[in-house]
């Protein structure tokens, strides 16, 4: 079955602390994974995708096929990082995204 | 182009009534998706179109739900005989075929069924 698991509903960290949002997936094919973010009162938007191997707003995510994980990391959390983060897996023959349940990141001062 | 537009933003209806949502995608995007999101959950795939063709519909989707994209531009999602369980945020997204599968989402249409 194709599934994305985000085990934490809420992650609270202090400003300047490292952040790791966990994402595990279940997929029989070659996975293509994404992180989407929703800031307060804003639309869901792409943060990054593993194919690009890029760092966006200081966030990075590495695909680990052995552990079937795609954790999102940032070395130093900022207040503006507070948002809802969704991990997503491309499924359906590459035609649709399957989302996890999301993790609310709260960065405290 | 102001991105993906959805209308109405909020709809309150009584159980048993029909509702229709509209989505205007980014003009050059040929793929259009509908997702549903309930509290505490991620977006759940409902259906998608490539141009005017509806290529996939979720098996979880009731027959009361129907979507159209008649000219390959805007799309409508109709829910007939609404039930309280239909209360959710309905999200529309669009992308290019071959557009690296990056979806651009609308603001959503929130449905409340009383």
């Amino acid at each position: 079955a194709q599934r994305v698991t985000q085990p934490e509903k809420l992650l609270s960290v202090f400003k300047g602390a490292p952040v790791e949002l966990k994402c595990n997936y279940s997929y029989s094919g070659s996975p293509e994974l994404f992180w989407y973010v929703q800031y307060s009162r804003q639309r869901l938007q792409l943060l990054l995708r593993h194919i690009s191997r890029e760092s966006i707003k200081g966030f990075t995510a590495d695909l680990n096929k052995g552990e079937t994980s795609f954790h999102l990391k940032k070395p130093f959390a900022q207040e503006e990082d507070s948002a809802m983060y969704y991990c997503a897996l491309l499924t359906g023959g590459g035609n649709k995204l399957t989302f996890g349940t999301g993790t609310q990141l709260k960065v405290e001062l | 182009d102001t991105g993906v537009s959805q209308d109405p933003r909020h709809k309150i209806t009584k159980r048993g009534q029909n509702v229709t949502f509209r989505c205007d995608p980014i003009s050059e995007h040929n793929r259009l998706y509908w997702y549903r999101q309930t509290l505490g959950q991620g977006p759940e795939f409902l259906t998608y179109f490539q141009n005017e063709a509806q290529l996939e519909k979720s098996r979880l989707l009731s027959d009361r739900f129907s979507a159209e994209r008649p000219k390959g531009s805007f799309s409508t999602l109709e829910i007939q005989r609404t039930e309280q369980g239909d209360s959710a945020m309905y999200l529309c997204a669009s992308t290019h075929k071959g557009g690296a599968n990056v979806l651009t989402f609308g603001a959503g249409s929130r449905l409340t069924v009383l």
Side-chain angles (χ1 to χ4, degrees):
Chain A
Q2 301 154 349
R3 189 167 54 244
V4 177
T5 303
Q6 294 181 252
E8 302 143 327
K9 281 199 173 299
L10 174 65
L11 181 64
S12 187
V13 301
F14 286 106
K15 180 181 175 180
V19 174
E20 183 179 50
L21 300 171
K22 290 183 168 52
C23 172
N24 288 88
Y25 66 92
S26 173
Y27 188 57
S28 56
S30 182
E32 186 172 343
L33 287 136
F34 303 76
W35 278 98
Y36 277 77
V37 61
Q38 188 165 26
Y39 301 102
S40 179
R41 296 188 176 84
Q42 293 189 27
R43 304 176 183 200
L44 192 60
Q45 60 186 284
L46 176 72
L47 179 62
L48 56 79
R49 48 198 172 110
H50 92 267
I51 279 181
S52 300
R53 302 186 66 82
E54 57 200 347
S55 173
I56 303 293
K57 299 183 179 182
F59 284 98
T60 58
D62 291 319
L63 177 61
N64 185 323
K65 291 185 179 180
E67 295 183 359
T68 60
S69 68
F70 188 57
H71 303 328
L72 184 68
K73 299 178 183 180
K74 185 170 182 176
F76 308 104
Q78 301 299 313
E79 191 180 358
E80 57 266 28
D81 297 329
S82 294
M84 193 74 179
Y85 291 81
Y86 294 95
C87 184
L89 170 69
L90 191 65
T91 58
N95 293 318
K96 64 184 181 186
L97 289 179
T98 296
F99 287 85
T101 52
T103 298
Q104 178 76 47
L105 175 64
K106 184 178 179 182
V107 180
E108 300 184 74
L109 301 176
Chain B
D1 195 323
T2 55
V4 179
S5 300
Q6 293 190 245
D7 183 70
R9 293 292 307 279
H10 304 275
K11 178 71 175 178
I12 300 174
T13 191
K14 292 182 179 179
R15 188 176 53 184
Q17 298 295 304
N18 299 344
V19 296
T20 299
F21 301 114
R22 176 181 170 124
C23 172
D24 287 88
I26 292 173
S27 56
E28 60 267 28
H29 285 181
N30 56 7
R31 282 198 173 182
L32 185 149
Y33 293 79
W34 286 99
Y35 280 82
R36 175 173 60 190
Q37 188 172 23
T38 53
L39 197 62
Q41 300 297 316
E44 174 194 19
F45 171 80
L46 295 180
T47 187
Y48 89 96
F49 293 83
Q50 183 162 306
N51 300 313
E52 66 276 7
Q54 187 174 18
L55 296 187
E56 187 174 345
K57 186 175 175 180
S58 170
R59 285 173 288 177
L60 302 175
L61 203 58
S62 160
D63 289 344
R64 297 183 295 105
F65 287 70
S66 62
E68 293 182 340
R69 194 183 183 198
K71 296 182 180 178
S73 56
F74 73 92
S75 175
T76 57
L77 176 69
E78 181 183 19
I79 309 173
Q80 295 183 325
R81 305 180 303 281
T82 53
E83 301 173 357
Q84 287 185 323
D86 297 332
S87 295
M89 177 72 86
Y90 290 85
L91 297 170
C92 178
S94 67
T95 187
H96 294 289
K97 180 178 186 296
N101 301 299
V102 175
L103 297 183
T104 301
F105 280 86
S109 293
R110 180 169 295 283
L111 173 65
T112 302
V113 182
L114 302 176

